[in-house]
Amino acid sequence: MTVPERENDVLYELKVEVEIELTETVASRPEEEMALPISDWLFDPTDAEREEIGERGLLAAVEVLEDSPPPEPSAEA
């Protein structure tokens, strides 16, 4: 059984979106923001770090799904 093409499209689109978000989060340079006085922060650097961790986890999950064989159809259907 092959994976429906639409499922591949959804995973691909999700992966692209997560990669874009991750790139933007890393580009925000939270380590530089943390060096500034708190009154000058445009965002909380710890929030950016949390976002990066979450986005990397989501990206890893998408990659696992891409590499996994499709589930077998259930006999109940």
Side-chain angles (χ1 to χ4, degrees):
M1 179 179 159
T2 61
V3 176
E5 194 62 36
R6 185 168 187 194
E7 187 174 327
N8 285 338
D9 291 345
V10 170
L11 286 176
Y12 175 77
E13 290 173 17
L14 178 60
K15 185 175 182 180
V16 168
E17 285 293 320
V18 172
E19 287 174 339
I20 290 169
E21 290 292 324
L22 183 57
T23 300
E24 290 174 357
T25 301
V26 171
S28 69
R29 301 179 189 251
E31 65 281 352
E32 290 178 10
E33 194 78 11
M34 203 173 286
L36 299 173
I38 293 175
S39 59
D40 293 344
W41 286 0
L42 298 175
F43 59 89
D44 186 341
T46 56
D47 288 342
E49 290 174 359
R50 281 188 210 106
E51 281 184 38
E52 182 179 353
I53 290 166
E55 290 162 355
R56 289 189 187 281
L58 185 55
L59 186 58
V62 170
E63 290 171 351
V64 166
L65 285 173
E66 285 179 328
D67 295 338
S68 297
E72 294 293 324
S74 64
E76 298 172 13

